[in-house]
Amino acid sequence: GFDWGEHFYNAADRFDTMYEIAENLVKSGHAYVCGLSQEEWRKYRGVPTEPGLESPTRNKAPEWSLDMLSKMKAGEFADGTYCLRAKIDMASPNIHFRDPVIYRIMHVEHYHAGNQWCIYPMYDFAHPIEDALEGVTHSMCTLEFEVHRPLYDWVIDRMQEMGMLVQNNGITVRPQQREFSRLNLSYTVMSKRKLLQLVEEKRVAGWDDPRLPTLCGMRRRGYPAAAIRNFCEALGATKFISTTDFSILEQAVRENLNSTAMRRLAVFDPVKLVIDNYPEDAEETFDAVNNPEKPEDGSRQIPFSRELYVERADFMKDPPKKFFRLSVGREVRLRYACLFTCTDVIEDANGKVVEIHGVMDMDSRGGTSPDGRVVKGTIHWVSIRHAVEVPVRLYDRLFSVEDPLADDSRDFTEFLNPDSITRATAFAEPAVQALDPSTSVQFERMGYFFTDSEDSKSGAPVFNRTATLRDSWSKIK
RNA sequence: UGCCUCAUCGUGUAACGGUAGCACAACUGACUCUGAAUCAGUUUGUCUAGGUUCAAAUCCUAGUGAGGCAACCA
């Protein structure tokens, strides 16, 4: 959802200026053309503990370099034969100061500039120039560029000498580079190099696979842009290499979705529940609010009949003390519908529950009884006769067993969770069919889902799980 | 090996040299037609050792631990 307005820039639009600056550097003795091969240069550059050697062309007249530079630009040389170096300090302990390359020959097409150029500026040269020309005051980047900062400042100094710094309200804008730590998430592979590997090896559907921590992946997973922004704002930016727990991100997503997502009832692991005192042919509908946090979203009607599906986990034969849901002899609320008392349960030969029986309080339609008695448990349900089956995908995050930052020597793909997708079918109330694509919905007590029709052959929406609901019952267990 | 960074509750972050605070998590309670949400409360921290100072999370020195750089990559 980000909008950079008029400040959308392409580096390629500044190639002409960059080349002019390079020429000026040569003229002022700050740069020279070097014909050393990469292997030769490695020897000349030396090691940090002792000074390097000067390139044979380092002290040639500027006219020579100027001429060579124009020939480089004209395409007279093959890749790698010559390059343009900044003349700085061959004895610096910072290797980036030992006459770094600022232009190299590359006979390749540029995706913006086409075939206009066969020499291209290096990042360390282009970056400060772009910032200066665009009036950037603070150029934020990640920690690995810390040692590049002196070179960044060097280029800015040269631009200042050339009078190329931008004025803003009468003040000269001198860009400054500042570094901060990249965002790390626990259990999550964030390295673009590694994500690329997953995409290329087709271990995921693409860059927008909902399991990937990419923005387009998060979008398909249903993470709202505002939630991601809030998450980042809560984290802050420092130079400390931190690892944020994945649950913080999920919490930010839940917080946003709680106030925006439509509520629907759906049963994921169904067991049949029969209301013995409800007529077999009868049916009725109950009114249910779409979002209790947002009354203006209105309500919808949920059909109800004698036979329902309820969540298997909502029944326990031998319930522990704090279990508030179904058990023989217990009364619970069927959400929006009525109070229901379980009287009996039918099991198969293995002791697995196949049917729950009970009676409803006929005076409790809508969910409250006239005598005002309270029930601790409220469970979700769906009428079997009216239920629609919807495909759901329960995505897990991609994670490695060990610290994703550690152990770069081993192939991280061996740590990937093999069960990172679960495909299933849920039984939902009919109103899910009317949902628009790309809508967030909360299946009550089951989590947040995001409708994704792009991906299904039939065009029917697939419900991708965005996040689970917080579940304090699992902590009690 | 040289050089450059970083270290504050469980996690992530604040604090001109002057009361160590906030958020999330955890825990307790209230409320509730989602064991959700909401509300109230509680617990927990300055890497180590010296030094400077009336006073150090903050400045200095050393150590420990972690990360980065030594591509004609970004």
Side-chain angles (χ1 to χ4, degrees):
Chain A
F2 189 75
D3 177 16
W4 35 60
E6 60 191 281
H7 298 286
F8 180 84
Y9 300 115
N10 281 309
D13 295 337
R14 310 205 181 276
F15 280 170
D16 285 325
T17 311
M18 290 176 192
Y19 183 78
E20 282 168 30
I21 293 173
E23 281 184 323
N24 285 338
L25 289 179
V26 173
K27 286 176 194 163
S28 62
H30 286 297
Y32 63 94
V33 169
C34 173
L36 254 24
S37 70
Q38 287 187 57
E39 300 78 67
E40 289 170 321
W41 179 253
R42 237 193 305 278
K43 296 193 194 92
Y44 275 75
R45 184 179 51 218
V47 290
T49 41
E50 43 193 278
L53 295 170
E54 294 192 351
S55 165
T57 58
R58 191 177 204 258
N59 295 312
K60 281 195 177 245
E63 291 72 27
W64 179 82
S65 285
L66 214 49
D67 180 51
M68 291 296 284
L69 180 60
S70 69
K71 285 176 178 164
M72 283 168 61
K73 186 194 177 200
E76 293 187 25
F77 304 123
D79 290 3
T81 51
Y82 290 97
C83 66
L84 184 69
R85 294 188 179 280
K87 191 197 282 189
I88 309 181
D89 179 6
M90 288 308 293
S92 172
N94 183 346
I95 297 290
H96 293 277
F97 255 33
R98 319 251 269 224
D99 288 11
V101 172
I102 56 178
Y103 257 101
R104 83 291 217 187
I105 301 171
M106 287 178 86
H107 289 270
V108 293
E109 185 176 320
H110 189 276
Y111 61 92
H112 280 130
N115 288 309
Q116 198 184 341
W117 294 86
C118 64
I119 58 171
Y120 292 99
M122 300 293 289
Y123 166 85
D124 279 328
F125 185 59
H127 175 211
I129 293 176
E130 290 166 51
D131 289 346
L133 264 26
E134 288 157 18
V136 169
T137 59
H138 295 80
S139 190
M140 311 300 292
C141 60
T142 42
L143 249 27
E144 65 267 29
F145 292 101
E146 272 175 333
V147 283
H148 296 241
R149 191 147 118 192
L151 184 50
Y152 182 97
D153 290 338
W154 184 89
V155 176
I156 297 294
D157 285 341
R158 300 292 84 74
M159 290 187 71
Q160 190 161 27
E161 287 167 6
M162 297 175 201
M164 294 186 74
L165 298 188
V166 169
Q167 299 279 319
N168 187 357
N169 291 325
I171 298 167
T172 302
V173 178
R174 192 176 201 286
Q176 305 198 45
Q177 173 179 300
R178 288 293 181 272
E179 311 82 15
F180 64 96
S181 173
R182 49 173 265 191
L183 169 57
N184 296 308
L185 276 178
S186 60
Y187 315 111
T188 308
V189 176
M190 302 288 275
S191 156
K192 287 188 284 297
R193 181 173 56 79
K194 290 178 179 172
L195 296 178
L196 175 65
Q197 185 185 340
L198 293 176
V199 172
E200 285 183 337
E201 293 178 3
K202 300 206 184 302
R203 289 168 185 268
V204 293
W207 284 105
D208 64 349
D209 189 294
R211 290 166 292 174
L212 295 186
T214 52
L215 286 178
C216 55
M218 289 176 168
R219 184 191 293 138
R220 269 193 65 190
R221 195 177 169 127
Y223 285 7
I228 299 172
R229 272 187 257 119
N230 291 343
F231 168 69
C232 291
E233 197 172 329
L235 294 186
T238 65
K239 302 183 81 160
F240 177 61
I241 300 173
S242 57
T243 301
T244 299
D245 199 89
F246 195 84
S247 63
I248 306 284
L249 174 58
E250 290 193 304
Q251 179 55 31
V253 170
R254 279 192 289 253
E255 192 178 5
N256 181 284
L257 257 24
N258 179 51
S259 56
T260 57
M262 290 288 189
R263 307 300 144 107
R264 293 293 182 265
L265 298 183
V267 174
F268 283 67
D269 183 12
V271 62
K272 190 176 184 181
L273 178 146
V274 181
I275 302 165
D276 292 322
N277 63 339
Y278 196 84
E280 285 202 34
D281 302 331
E283 56 183 66
E284 62 191 290
T285 63
F286 290 110
D287 192 55
V289 295
N290 284 323
N291 185 344
E293 313 284 322
K294 224 173 132 191
E296 65 270 29
D297 275 357
S299 63
R300 83 282 181 187
Q301 298 293 312
I302 311 180
F304 179 84
S305 61
R306 176 184 163 94
E307 296 188 341
L308 312 176
Y309 282 138
V310 296
E311 210 64 50
R312 180 167 295 279
D314 285 346
F315 179 88
M316 278 184 104
K317 214 171 8 170
D318 300 306
K321 273 199 190 84
K322 290 198 152 183
F323 184 80
F324 302 143
R325 279 121 70 182
L326 279 168
S327 190
V328 174
R330 299 269 189 107
E331 182 173 51
V332 299
R333 175 181 297 107
L334 298 174
R335 182 139 219 235
Y336 300 120
C338 63
L339 301 183
F340 171 85
T341 304
C342 175
T343 54
D344 193 16
V345 73
I346 299 172
E347 298 174 0
D348 67 10
N350 302 319
K352 188 183 175 190
V353 174
V354 292
E355 255 181 57
I356 296 166
H357 282 261
V359 293
M360 70 176 267
D361 177 348
M362 290 300 178
D363 295 327
S364 68
R365 280 194 167 76
T368 45
S369 69
D371 63 14
R373 69 179 181 277
V374 292
V375 290
K376 278 288 249 183
T378 298
I379 65 173
H380 58 282
W381 52 273
V382 60
S383 166
I384 296 178
R385 195 187 301 167
H386 305 90
V388 293
E389 291 189 39
V390 294
V392 292
R393 289 208 202 102
L394 310 178
Y395 287 107
D396 202 341
R397 61 194 177 231
L398 280 175
F399 68 89
S400 51
V401 177
E402 295 165 38
D403 177 0
L405 296 179
D407 201 6
D408 226 25
S409 60
R410 295 165 70 184
D411 179 4
F412 78 100
T413 58
E414 67 186 86
F415 301 124
L416 291 179
N417 178 13
D419 305 316
S420 55
I421 296 187
T422 306
R423 292 164 202 278
T425 300
F427 296 89
E429 58 169 294
V432 293
Q433 291 175 316
L435 290 170
D436 295 329
S438 302
T439 305
S440 289
V441 56
Q442 183 200 94
F443 288 133
E444 295 202 24
R445 303 211 311 132
M446 301 309 288
Y448 293 101
F449 289 75
F450 189 69
T451 60
D452 182 2
S453 53
E454 278 173 49
D455 193 46
S456 84
K457 288 172 191 129
S458 63
V462 177
F463 290 81
N464 291 332
R465 183 163 70 190
T466 307
T468 55
L469 237 50
R470 271 180 53 145
D471 180 12
S472 54
W473 165 243
S474 68
K475 282 176 213 150
I476 295 169
K477 282 190 290 187

